[in-house]
Amino acid sequence: MYRIYTKVLFWISEACYALITLIVACFLAISCIALLEQAIRTAPHAWANNWDVVTIGATYTVVVRLYTSLRWAVDPLRRPTAPPKHRTLYQASHRRPQESAPVHEYITQEFARACLIAYECQPRETTHSGWGVPGTEHGGIRFRRSLLDTIADIDARAHLVIPNLPPLKPHSRMIHHFRFILPLLPKDDEGLTPLHYYDSAVQLARTSTREPTEDEFRLGLRAADEIRKMYGCYFLLNVSSPYLA
């Protein structure tokens, strides 16, 4: 019903446009003939050196040319535009009544198939060297970058406890830069402090051609946490010492 009503309106508008064009053309032709006849009748010589006839002919030629140019400019705007090819899922699910049920079912099946393909293509149970396994505690973490990021945090905490600590150089060994805190750190059965393990993990992340393993990352991260805890304890003691005195 909607399409029939649209077509009827279209043909009515086309007929009115053609009728108006025909009436305007008739009036132009009659007026042109009348003016030419008057110019010929009133001139001393009917056609010889009659510039009025030339002027009238040129004027009507310009008018007709302007009319055709205007029609060429207006015609594209009067043509019905084609419906867009791209349709969203909402538009596909809320289809118009004239769309057939098989088309809607086909669109739904294709969308479901695309969703299943995208789901099946997601990586599962894959491991990459130097990265945490997805779904675990360190999933999506790059071990090398994460270990190197702890250096700036530990250095900032160290300057809170030791304000005169020299600035950190880009390639300084951790065991050398934080040598002032070695007596403050606990030792294990082998006589090594968390700073020794942290220095080894950082050097491995800096210079090794292979990526750190998860065990090496855990060891370096555990050592960094122990160093942070030590800095936190001594910072609290330094802050509270005037009140204790």
Side-chain angles (χ1 to χ4, degrees), residues 6-240:
T6 306
K7 288 183 178 180
V8 171
L9 287 180
F10 174 74
W11 286 113
I12 291 175
S13 63
E14 287 291 329
C16 293
Y17 180 76
L19 181 61
I20 293 173
T21 303
L22 183 60
I23 293 173
V24 171
C26 290
F27 276 109
L28 283 175
I30 292 172
S31 62
C32 181
I33 293 172
L35 290 174
L36 288 175
E37 183 183 359
Q38 183 180 2
I40 295 171
R41 188 165 18 90
T42 57
H45 304 284
W47 294 99
N49 298 325
N50 194 344
W51 293 104
D52 293 338
V53 175
V54 177
T55 303
I56 294 171
T59 302
Y60 275 87
T61 302
V62 172
V63 170
V64 172
R65 183 60 180 173
L66 289 176
Y67 174 75
T68 53
S69 300
L70 182 62
R71 182 178 179 182
W72 290 342
V74 172
D75 277 347
L77 301 178
R78 294 172 60 248
R79 294 173 185 170
T81 57
K85 295 182 179 180
H86 174 71
R87 301 188 62 187
T88 61
L89 176 62
Y90 178 82
Q91 293 172 338
S93 59
H94 296 73
R95 65 190 189 281
R96 293 181 179 179
Q98 63 268 21
E99 293 183 0
S100 58
V103 174
H104 175 66
E105 184 180 358
Y106 176 75
I107 294 174
T108 306
Q109 291 177 357
E110 286 298 314
F111 178 74
R113 187 172 67 87
C115 293
L116 288 175
I117 292 175
Y119 176 76
E120 291 296 333
C121 290
Q122 293 180 357
R124 298 182 185 85
E125 300 180 358
T126 57
T127 58
H128 297 280
S129 178
W131 288 81
V133 180
T136 60
E137 179 184 0
H138 304 295
I141 297 177
R142 188 183 180 188
F143 300 149
R144 185 189 300 272
R145 184 70 266 165
S146 182
L147 282 173
L148 295 179
D149 288 343
T150 60
I151 298 176
D153 179 51
I154 293 178
D155 183 63
R157 293 171 184 263
H159 279 86
L160 294 176
V161 178
I162 310 174
N164 297 327
L165 186 70
L168 178 64
K169 297 180 180 180
H171 302 288
S172 295
R173 293 285 300 268
M174 299 296 102
I175 194 70
H176 175 74
H177 180 69
F178 298 115
R179 60 187 181 275
F180 304 104
I181 64 170
L182 272 175
L184 306 177
L185 295 172
K187 297 182 180 180
D188 57 6
D189 297 339
E190 298 179 359
L192 300 177
T193 64
L195 185 59
H196 289 85
Y197 293 105
Y198 182 67
D199 176 69
S200 300
V202 169
Q203 284 302 111
L204 179 65
R206 277 178 172 176
T207 61
S208 178
T209 56
R210 69 174 180 83
E211 295 290 337
T213 63
E214 188 170 358
D215 292 338
E216 294 168 345
F217 172 72
R218 289 177 181 272
L219 182 64
L221 203 62
R222 190 181 306 114
D225 291 338
E226 292 181 4
I227 295 174
R228 289 194 189 98
K229 291 178 182 178
M230 184 274 301
Y231 279 139
C233 293
Y234 277 92
F235 179 73
L236 292 176
L237 289 175
N238 290 336
V239 170
S240 60

